[in-house]
Amino acid sequence: MYCEFIERDWLNKFWHAGLPKHHPKMHYYLNTFPHADGRARPVGPETNPHSVLGFTKWLIEEIKMCPQSGKDGE
């Protein structure tokens, strides 16, 4: 199956299946310097959801925590 943006698709599927967005042992590593398979992906701008900066912006919004409750912003 072809996925236009596999990283985002993977995260959405695993979060939906129960993978926590926030956990003391959960870390998100962003490959902001693409190589090999990711080298053709544009670096910017943030308004392009398929660029490296666009994905980074999306991920920050998805995992942002609500400052009052300390829980997910959902």
Side-chain angles (χ1 to χ4, degrees):
M1 180 175 103
Y2 175 77
C3 295
E4 191 171 45
F5 200 52
I6 192 72
E7 296 91 345
R8 186 174 298 162
D9 185 57
W10 179 87
L11 285 171
N12 281 325
K13 284 181 181 176
F14 279 81
W15 287 336
H16 184 70
L19 180 73
K21 286 186 180 181
H22 302 100
H23 188 274
K25 294 185 179 182
M26 177 68 69
H27 300 277
Y28 295 93
Y29 293 97
L30 299 175
N31 181 10
T32 55
F33 299 100
H35 56 84
D37 295 333
R39 70 179 173 262
R41 179 166 296 151
V43 174
E46 288 181 356
T47 55
N48 178 355
H50 299 295
S51 71
V52 174
L53 290 176
F55 175 70
T56 304
K57 179 181 176 184
W58 172 83
L59 184 59
I60 290 169
E61 290 298 318
E62 285 292 315
I63 62 173
K64 191 182 291 185
M65 295 179 73
C66 181
Q68 290 89 6
S69 65
K71 302 238 181 203
D72 289 349
E74 297 178 288

